[in-house]
Coordinates of all heavy atoms in Angstrom, one line a residue:
M19 N 0.8 -1.2 0.0 CA 0.0 0.0 0.0 C 0.9 1.2 0.0 O 1.8 1.4 0.8 CB -0.9 0.0 1.2 CG -1.9 1.1 1.2 SD -2.9 1.1 2.7 CE -3.6 2.8 2.6
T20 N 0.5 2.2 -0.9 CA 1.3 3.4 -1.0 C 0.7 4.5 -0.2 O -0.5 4.7 -0.3 CB 1.4 3.8 -2.4 OG1 1.9 2.7 -3.2 CG2 2.4 5.0 -2.6
T21 N 1.5 5.2 0.6 CA 1.0 6.3 1.4 C 1.0 7.5 0.5 O 2.0 7.8 -0.1 CB 1.9 6.5 2.6 OG1 1.9 5.4 3.4 CG2 1.4 7.7 3.4
I22 N -0.1 8.2 0.5 CA -0.2 9.4 -0.3 C -0.3 10.6 0.7 O -1.1 10.6 1.6 CB -1.4 9.5 -1.2 CG1 -1.5 8.2 -2.1 CG2 -1.5 10.7 -2.0 CD1 -0.5 8.2 -3.2
V23 N 0.6 11.6 0.5 CA 0.6 12.8 1.3 C 0.2 14.0 0.4 O 0.4 13.9 -0.9 CB 1.9 13.0 2.0 CG1 2.2 11.9 3.0 CG2 3.0 13.2 1.0
Q24 N -0.2 15.0 1.0 CA -0.5 16.2 0.2 C 0.7 17.2 0.2 O 1.3 17.4 1.2 CB -1.7 17.0 0.8 CG -3.0 16.5 0.2 CD -4.1 17.5 0.6 OE1 -4.0 18.2 1.5 NE2 -5.2 17.5 -0.2
C25 N 1.1 17.7 -1.0 CA 2.1 18.7 -1.1 C 1.7 19.9 -0.2 O 0.6 20.4 -0.4 CB 2.3 19.1 -2.5 SG 3.4 20.5 -2.7
P26 N 2.5 20.3 0.8 CA 2.2 21.4 1.6 C 2.0 22.7 0.9 O 1.3 23.6 1.3 CB 3.3 21.5 2.6 CG 4.0 20.1 2.6 CD 3.8 19.7 1.1
T27 N 2.6 22.8 -0.3 CA 2.6 24.0 -1.0 C 1.4 24.1 -1.9 O 0.7 25.1 -1.9 CB 3.9 24.2 -1.8 OG1 5.0 24.2 -1.0 CG2 3.9 25.5 -2.6
C28 N 1.1 23.1 -2.7 CA 0.1 23.2 -3.7 C -1.0 22.2 -3.5 O -2.1 22.3 -4.1 CB 0.6 23.1 -5.1 SG 1.2 21.4 -5.5
G29 N -0.9 21.3 -2.5 CA -1.9 20.3 -2.2 C -2.0 19.1 -3.1 O -2.9 18.4 -3.0
A30 N -1.1 19.0 -4.0 CA -1.1 17.9 -5.0 C -0.8 16.6 -4.2 O 0.0 16.6 -3.3 CB -0.1 18.1 -6.1
P31 N -1.4 15.5 -4.6 CA -1.0 14.2 -4.0 C 0.4 13.8 -4.3 O 0.8 13.9 -5.5 CB -2.1 13.3 -4.5 CG -2.6 13.9 -5.8 CD -2.4 15.4 -5.6
V32 N 1.1 13.4 -3.3 CA 2.5 12.9 -3.5 C 2.6 11.5 -2.9 O 2.3 11.3 -1.8 CB 3.5 13.9 -2.8 CG1 4.9 13.4 -3.1 CG2 3.3 15.3 -3.3
E33 N 3.2 10.6 -3.7 CA 3.4 9.2 -3.2 C 4.6 9.3 -2.2 O 5.7 9.7 -2.6 CB 3.7 8.3 -4.3 CG 2.4 7.9 -5.1 CD 2.7 6.8 -6.1 OE1 3.5 6.0 -5.9 OE2 2.1 6.9 -7.2
W34 N 4.4 8.7 -1.0 CA 5.5 8.7 0.0 C 6.4 7.5 -0.3 O 6.2 6.4 0.3 CB 4.9 8.7 1.4 CG 5.9 9.0 2.4 CD1 6.7 8.1 3.1 CD2 6.3 10.3 3.0 NE1 7.6 8.7 4.0 CE2 7.3 10.1 3.9 CE3 5.8 11.6 2.7 CZ2 7.9 11.1 4.6 CZ3 6.4 12.6 3.5 CH2 7.4 12.4 4.4
K35 N 7.4 7.7 -1.1 CA 8.3 6.6 -1.4 C 9.6 7.2 -1.8 O 9.8 8.5 -2.0 CB 7.8 5.8 -2.6 CG 7.5 6.6 -3.9 CD 7.0 5.8 -5.0 CE 6.8 6.6 -6.3 NZ 6.2 5.8 -7.4
A36 N 10.7 6.4 -1.8 CA 12.0 6.8 -2.0 C 12.2 7.6 -3.3 O 13.0 8.6 -3.4 CB 13.0 5.6 -2.0
E37 N 11.4 7.2 -4.3 CA 11.5 7.9 -5.6 C 11.0 9.3 -5.5 O 11.3 10.2 -6.4 CB 10.8 7.1 -6.7 CG 11.5 5.8 -7.1 CD 11.2 4.7 -6.1 OE1 10.5 4.9 -5.1 OE2 11.7 3.6 -6.3
S38 N 10.2 9.6 -4.6 CA 9.6 11.0 -4.5 C 10.7 11.9 -3.7 O 10.6 12.1 -2.5 CB 8.3 11.0 -3.7 OG 7.4 10.2 -4.4
T39 N 11.6 12.3 -4.5 CA 12.8 13.0 -3.9 C 12.4 14.2 -3.0 O 13.0 14.4 -2.0 CB 13.7 13.5 -5.0 OG1 13.9 12.4 -5.9 CG2 15.0 13.9 -4.5
F40 N 11.4 14.9 -3.4 CA 11.1 16.1 -2.7 C 9.9 16.0 -1.7 O 9.3 17.0 -1.3 CB 10.8 17.2 -3.7 CG 11.9 17.4 -4.7 CD1 11.8 17.0 -6.0 CD2 13.1 17.9 -4.3 CE1 12.8 17.1 -6.9 CE2 14.2 18.1 -5.2 CZ 14.0 17.7 -6.5
R41 N 9.5 14.7 -1.4 CA 8.4 14.5 -0.5 C 8.7 15.3 0.8 O 9.8 15.3 1.3 CB 8.2 13.0 -0.2 CG 9.3 12.3 0.5 CD 9.1 10.8 0.6 NE 10.1 10.2 1.4 CZ 11.3 9.9 1.0 NH1 11.7 10.1 -0.2 NH2 12.2 9.3 1.8
P42 N 7.7 15.8 1.5 CA 6.3 15.7 1.1 C 5.9 16.7 0.0 O 4.7 16.8 -0.2 CB 5.6 16.1 2.5 CG 6.5 17.1 3.1 CD 7.9 16.6 2.7
F43 N 6.8 17.3 -0.6 CA 6.5 18.2 -1.7 C 6.4 17.4 -3.0 O 7.1 16.4 -3.2 CB 7.5 19.3 -1.8 CG 7.7 20.1 -0.5 CD1 8.7 19.7 0.4 CD2 6.8 21.1 -0.2 CE1 8.9 20.4 1.6 CE2 7.0 21.8 1.0 CZ 8.0 21.4 1.9
C44 N 5.7 17.9 -4.0 CA 5.5 17.3 -5.2 C 6.6 17.5 -6.2 O 6.9 16.8 -7.1 CB 4.2 17.7 -5.9 SG 4.1 19.4 -6.4
S45 N 7.4 18.6 -5.9 CA 8.4 19.0 -6.8 C 9.4 19.9 -6.1 O 9.2 20.4 -5.0 CB 7.9 19.8 -8.0 OG 7.3 21.0 -7.6
E46 N 10.6 20.0 -6.7 CA 11.6 20.9 -6.1 C 11.1 22.3 -5.9 O 11.4 23.0 -5.0 CB 12.9 20.9 -6.9 CG 14.0 21.7 -6.3 CD 15.3 21.6 -7.1 OE1 15.2 21.3 -8.3 OE2 16.4 21.9 -6.5
R47 N 10.3 22.7 -6.9 CA 9.8 24.1 -7.0 C 8.9 24.3 -5.7 O 9.1 25.3 -5.0 CB 8.9 24.3 -8.2 CG 8.4 25.7 -8.4 CD 7.7 25.8 -9.7 NE 6.7 26.9 -9.7 CZ 5.4 26.7 -9.3 NH1 5.0 25.5 -8.9 NH2 4.6 27.7 -9.3
C48 N 8.0 23.4 -5.4 CA 7.2 23.5 -4.2 C 8.0 23.5 -3.0 O 7.7 24.2 -2.0 CB 6.1 22.5 -4.2 SG 4.7 22.8 -5.3
K49 N 9.0 22.7 -2.9 CA 9.9 22.7 -1.7 C 10.5 24.0 -1.5 O 10.6 24.6 -0.4 CB 11.0 21.6 -1.9 CG 11.8 21.4 -0.7 CD 12.9 20.4 -1.0 CE 13.8 20.2 0.2 NZ 14.9 19.2 0.0
L50 N 11.1 24.6 -2.6 CA 11.7 25.9 -2.5 C 10.8 27.0 -2.1 O 11.1 27.9 -1.3 CB 12.4 26.2 -3.8 CG 13.6 25.3 -4.2 CD1 14.2 25.7 -5.5 CD2 14.7 25.4 -3.1
I51 N 9.5 26.9 -2.6 CA 8.5 27.9 -2.3 C 8.2 27.8 -0.8 O 8.2 28.8 -0.1 CB 7.2 27.6 -3.1 CG1 7.5 28.1 -4.6 CG2 6.1 28.4 -2.5 CD1 6.3 27.7 -5.5
D52 N 8.1 26.6 -0.3 CA 7.8 26.4 1.1 C 8.9 26.9 2.0 O 8.7 27.6 3.0 CB 7.5 25.0 1.5 CG 6.9 24.8 2.9 OD1 5.7 25.2 3.0 OD2 7.6 24.4 3.7
L53 N 10.2 26.6 1.6 CA 11.3 27.1 2.4 C 11.4 28.6 2.4 O 11.7 29.2 3.4 CB 12.6 26.5 1.8 CG 12.8 25.0 2.1 CD1 14.0 24.5 1.4 CD2 12.9 24.7 3.5
G54 N 11.1 29.2 1.2 CA 11.1 30.6 1.1 C 10.0 31.2 2.0 O 10.2 32.3 2.6
A55 N 8.8 30.6 2.1 CA 7.8 31.1 2.9 C 8.2 31.1 4.4 O 7.9 32.0 5.1 CB 6.5 30.2 2.7
W56 N 8.9 30.0 4.8 CA 9.3 29.9 6.2 C 10.3 31.0 6.5 O 10.3 31.7 7.5 CB 10.0 28.6 6.5 CG 9.0 27.5 6.9 CD1 8.5 26.5 6.1 CD2 8.3 27.5 8.1 NE1 7.6 25.8 6.9 CE2 7.4 26.3 8.1 CE3 8.4 28.2 9.3 CZ2 6.6 26.0 9.2 CZ3 7.6 27.8 10.4 CH2 6.7 26.7 10.3
A57 N 11.3 31.2 5.5 CA 12.3 32.3 5.7 C 11.6 33.6 5.8 O 12.0 34.4 6.7 CB 13.3 32.2 4.5
A58 N 10.6 33.9 5.0 CA 9.9 35.2 5.0 C 9.2 35.3 6.3 O 9.2 36.4 6.9 CB 9.0 35.2 3.8
E59 N 8.6 34.2 6.8 CA 7.9 34.3 8.1 C 8.8 34.6 9.2 O 8.5 35.4 10.1 CB 7.2 32.9 8.3 CG 6.0 33.0 9.2 CD 5.2 31.8 9.2 OE1 4.7 31.4 8.1 OE2 4.9 31.2 10.2
E60 N 10.0 34.0 9.2 CA 11.0 34.2 10.3 C 11.4 35.7 10.2 O 11.5 36.3 11.3 CB 12.2 33.3 10.1 CG 11.9 31.9 10.6 CD 13.2 31.1 10.4 OE1 14.3 31.6 10.3 OE2 13.0 29.8 10.3
H61 N 11.6 36.2 9.1 CA 11.9 37.7 9.0 C 10.8 38.5 9.5 O 11.0 39.5 10.2 CB 12.2 38.0 7.5 CG 13.5 37.6 7.0 ND1 14.7 38.0 7.7 CD2 13.9 36.8 6.0 CE1 15.7 37.4 7.0 NE2 15.3 36.7 6.0
A62 N 9.6 38.1 9.2 CA 8.4 38.9 9.7 C 8.4 38.9 11.2 O 8.1 39.9 11.9 CB 7.1 38.3 9.1
I63 N 8.6 37.7 11.8 CA 8.6 37.5 13.3 C 9.7 38.4 13.9 O 9.5 39.1 14.9 CB 8.7 36.0 13.7 CG1 7.5 35.3 13.3 CG2 9.0 35.9 15.2 CD1 7.6 33.8 13.4
A64 N 10.9 38.3 13.3 CA 12.0 39.1 13.8 C 11.6 40.6 13.8 O 11.9 41.3 14.8 CB 13.2 38.9 13.0
G65 N 10.9 41.0 12.7 CA 10.5 42.4 12.7 C 9.5 42.8 13.7 O 9.6 43.8 14.4
N66 N 8.6 41.9 14.0 CA 7.6 42.1 15.0 C 8.2 42.2 16.4 O 7.8 43.0 17.2 CB 6.5 40.9 15.0 CG 5.6 41.1 13.8 OD1 5.5 42.2 13.3 ND2 4.9 40.0 13.5
D67 N 9.2 41.3 16.6 CA 9.9 41.4 17.9 C 10.5 42.7 18.1 O 10.5 43.3 19.2 CB 11.0 40.3 18.0 CG 10.4 38.9 18.2 OD1 9.2 38.8 18.6 OD2 11.1 37.9 18.1
L68 N 11.1 43.2 17.1 CA 11.8 44.5 17.2 C 10.7 45.6 17.5 O 10.9 46.4 18.4 CB 12.4 44.9 15.9 CG 13.3 46.1 15.9 CD1 14.5 46.0 16.9 CD2 13.9 46.4 14.5
E69 N 9.6 45.5 16.9 CA 8.5 46.5 17.1 C 8.0 46.3 18.6 O 7.7 47.3 19.2 CB 7.3 46.2 16.1 CG 7.4 47.1 14.9 CD 6.2 46.9 14.0 OE1 5.1 46.8 14.5 OE2 6.4 46.8 12.8
D70 N 7.8 45.1 19.0 CA 7.4 44.8 20.4 C 8.3 45.5 21.4 O 7.9 46.0 22.4 CB 7.2 43.3 20.6 CG 6.0 42.8 20.0 OD1 5.1 43.6 19.5 OD2 5.8 41.6 19.9
D71 N 9.6 45.3 21.1 CA 10.6 45.9 22.1 C 10.4 47.4 22.2 O 10.4 48.0 23.2 CB 12.0 45.5 21.6 CG 12.4 44.1 21.9 OD1 11.6 43.5 22.7 OD2 13.4 43.6 21.4
L72 N 10.3 48.0 21.0 CA 10.1 49.5 21.0 C 8.8 49.8 21.7 O 8.7 50.8 22.5 CB 10.0 50.0 19.6 CG 11.4 49.8 18.8 CD1 11.2 50.2 17.3 CD2 12.4 50.8 19.4
F73 N 7.8 49.0 21.5 CA 6.4 49.2 22.1 C 6.5 49.1 23.6 O 6.1 50.0 24.3 CB 5.5 48.2 21.5 CG 4.1 48.8 21.3 CD1 3.1 48.0 20.8 CD2 3.8 50.1 21.7 CE1 1.8 48.4 20.6 CE2 2.5 50.6 21.5 CZ 1.5 49.8 21.0
S74 N 7.1 48.1 24.1 CA 7.2 47.9 25.5 C 8.1 48.9 26.2 O 7.9 49.3 27.3 CB 7.8 46.5 25.9 OG 9.0 46.3 25.2
G75 N 9.0 49.5 25.4 CA 9.8 50.6 25.9 C 8.9 51.8 26.2 O 9.2 52.6 27.1
D76 N 7.8 51.9 25.4 CA 6.9 53.1 25.6 C 6.0 52.9 26.8 O 5.5 53.8 27.3 CB 6.1 53.3 24.4 CG 6.9 53.9 23.2 OD1 8.0 54.5 23.6 OD2 6.5 53.8 22.1
L77 N 5.8 51.6 27.2 CA 4.8 51.3 28.2 C 4.9 52.1 29.5 O 4.0 52.6 30.0 CB 4.8 49.8 28.5 CG 4.0 49.0 27.4 CD1 4.1 47.5 27.7 CD2 2.6 49.4 27.3
P78 N 6.1 52.2 30.1 CA 6.3 52.8 31.4 C 5.8 54.3 31.4 O 5.3 54.8 32.4 CB 7.8 52.7 31.7 CG 8.3 51.6 30.9 CD 7.4 51.6 29.7
T79 N 5.9 54.9 30.3 CA 5.5 56.3 30.2 C 4.0 56.5 30.0 O 3.5 57.6 30.0 CB 6.3 57.0 29.1 OG1 5.9 56.5 27.8 CG2 7.8 56.9 29.3
R80 N 3.4 55.3 29.7 CA 2.0 55.4 29.4 C 1.1 55.4 30.6 O 1.3 54.6 31.5 CB 1.6 54.1 28.5 CG 0.1 54.2 28.0 CD -0.3 52.9 27.4 NE 0.2 52.7 26.1 CZ 0.0 51.6 25.3 NH1 -0.7 50.6 25.8 NH2 0.5 51.5 24.1
P81 N 0.2 56.3 30.8 CA -0.6 56.4 32.0 C -1.4 55.1 32.2 O -1.9 54.6 31.2 CB -1.5 57.6 31.8 CG -1.4 58.0 30.4 CD -0.1 57.4 29.9
H82 N -1.5 54.6 33.4 CA -2.1 53.3 33.6 C -3.4 53.5 34.5 O -3.3 54.1 35.5 CB -1.2 52.3 34.3 CG -1.5 50.9 34.0 ND1 -1.8 50.4 32.8 CD2 -1.7 49.9 34.9 CE1 -2.1 49.1 32.9 NE2 -2.0 48.8 34.1
Ligands
ZN8 ZN1 3.3 21.0 -5.0

């Protein structure tokens, strides 16, 4: 029995076997797209952290 997984990028069915080099992705393209998405997300989180730091720096001066 062959296990079929969904490509996380495009949702295409991918056979989970040694020949599926890019599993769980259907192709190298989808793998690269997903890695790029993660990298972009990490950058976004880093940017948010920086904003949060600036924001919390303003907190003590804010009337409570
Ligand atoms: Zn795909």
